[in-house]
Amino acid sequence: MDEVDLTDRAEVQGDFETGLNADDQLELRVWLRLLTCANLIERNVRQNLRETFDTTLPRFDLMAQLDRAPDGLTMGALSRRMMVTNGNVTGLIDRLVTEGLVERRPAPGDRRAQVVRLTRAGKRAFDGMTPAHADWINEMFKGLGRQDMTALLRLLAKLKQSLAEREGQEK
Amino acid sequence: MDEVDLTDRAEVQGDFETGLNADDQLELRVWLRLLTCANLIERNVRQNLRETFDTTLPRFDLMAQLDRAPDGLTMGALSRRMMVTNGNVTGLIDRLVTEGLVERRPAPGDRRAQVVRLTRAGKRAFDGMTPAHADWINEMFKGLGRQDMTALLRLLAKLKQSLAEREGQEK
DNA sequence: CCTGGATATTTTAAACTTAAAATATCTTTC
DNA sequence: GAAAGATATTTTAAGTTTAAAATATCCAGG
């Protein structure tokens, strides 16, 4: 039997980089590896949030933003911070309001805007999740030393800067 | 007037890190910065794909995987490489098949499996997008030197390793 | 004041994504 | 060789996400 083996045994647990050549452009390799790491972390957090607290990552991210802004945020500020569209935030907030975790009220002085903030229950729920969340993240970064992390933080800052510059240009 | 300024002028263009304290755990800061970078890049590529080729990022990612596997991939292999669920791939492939960019055929020797590969038209379409895609990525990494990128690549490899280890454990 | 452009949000339609259940097939074991 | 468990995929329902259009309000200039 010399048929092609479609199960591709070399790829037991592939990712975006699988099949990429070492002589491909460095930039692409960095980007794909970055994406792989982000996906692995996201997947882990998502699963933990579901199993431990029966909630979702977008809900958690949104609540984390509100937790850091005790005076509340407008819908627009929220969507900028979460880097998602306005419409997306509208839907998420709708659901969180229904669940009683978030409250929406008209912004003083601007009848177009809404200010959103955590309710008492929302704050309580979020505080209950924070420690476990921190543990998960810490656990995932266990393989990196303090030096590694500061180096990584610095390089990512530089990349972020490089990315932010070309955001303004747009068109 | 000494009211609270809800527009928060310091946060013209916030991101996940906005509002984070410098004394927060290092791991969390690295993770959020990583996420911010990934989001900025994704957003840029997504917009470029739409404006330039009228397509989407998931479609492009899927075609990129198939392009690297000339003999095709099973649905399962594809979902592992893209790090998304099986059902997700089913839907994406359905659409790409309809558009004539991808073909699906029974896997030889296993009647449960499907082998998917780019059609002639799909290969042509993908090849037409590759150079522009590379340019976009290169442009975004312009602020990083070769040294920075290799350092970043190394650190991310270490992180990826750290993350992969705890994947196996899972229960 | 009032008109035109800017800003804040919601709505809409379509696509994407997930987790879980359902199918179908393979593989092993007795 | 039939039952039990493992694998490969699809289906389902709900949620998330996007881009674009629609609303509503603000603000600046005449």
Side-chain angles (χ1 to χ4, degrees), chain B residues 56 59 84-85 88 95 111-112:
Chain B
T56 67
R59 280 169 164 86
V84 298
T85 59
N88 189 355
R95 267 160 270 162
R111 276 178 304 172
R112 294 169 304 179

Side-chain angles (χ1 to χ4, degrees), chain A residues 56 59 84-85 88 95 111-112:
Chain A
T56 66
R59 279 168 163 84
V84 298
T85 60
N88 190 354
R95 264 161 263 148
R111 277 178 301 173
R112 295 168 304 176

Side-chain angles (χ1 to χ4, degrees), chain A residues 119-131:
Chain A
T119 61
R120 192 88 48 101
K123 172 68 174 163
R124 202 178 324 118
F126 182 73
D127 286 342
M129 298 190 277
T130 306

Side-chain angles (χ1 to χ4, degrees), chain A residues 136-145 149, chain B residues 27 159 162 166:
Chain A
W136 304 332
I137 304 294
N138 290 343
E139 185 62 34
M140 285 188 275
F141 278 84
K142 212 130 196 179
L144 272 64
M149 288 194 282
Chain B
E27 290 85 350
L159 175 56
S162 176
R166 40 186 346 306

Side-chain angles (χ1 to χ4, degrees), chain A residues 4-119:
Chain A
V4 179
D5 180 8
L6 290 164
T7 57
D8 192 3
R9 48 177 93 70
E11 165 255 330
V12 178
Q13 193 76 304
D15 60 38
F16 276 110
E17 298 177 65
T18 309
L20 202 61
N21 292 319
D23 61 332
D24 274 317
Q25 48 173 352
L26 191 52
E27 290 85 350
L28 184 58
R29 291 171 64 205
V30 176
W31 161 229
L32 293 182
R33 191 164 294 177
L34 184 68
L35 184 57
T36 296
C37 288
N39 282 337
L40 288 172
I41 296 174
E42 272 206 8
R43 182 200 291 183
N44 185 298
V45 174
R46 191 189 308 279
Q47 179 180 351
N48 280 320
L49 281 175
R50 179 173 39 77
E51 292 177 353
T52 313
F53 301 112
D54 191 32
T55 189
T56 66
L57 188 51
R59 279 168 163 84
F60 180 85
D61 285 343
L62 196 156
M63 293 176 76
Q65 293 300 333
L66 291 184
D67 186 60
R68 294 190 200 125
D71 292 334
L73 291 172
T74 62
M75 298 296 283
L78 204 43
S79 92
R80 277 191 296 282
R81 291 196 185 193
M82 297 185 68
M83 299 195 286
V84 298
T85 60
N86 281 339
N88 190 354
V89 172
T90 297
L92 281 169
I93 291 292
D94 284 348
R95 264 161 263 148
L96 287 171
V97 167
T98 301
E99 295 171 23
L101 300 173
V102 161
E103 68 178 5
R104 217 180 200 155
R105 57 177 65 169
D110 188 341
R111 277 178 301 173
R112 295 168 304 176
Q114 305 271 343
V115 174
V116 176
R117 76 187 65 194
L118 289 180
T119 61

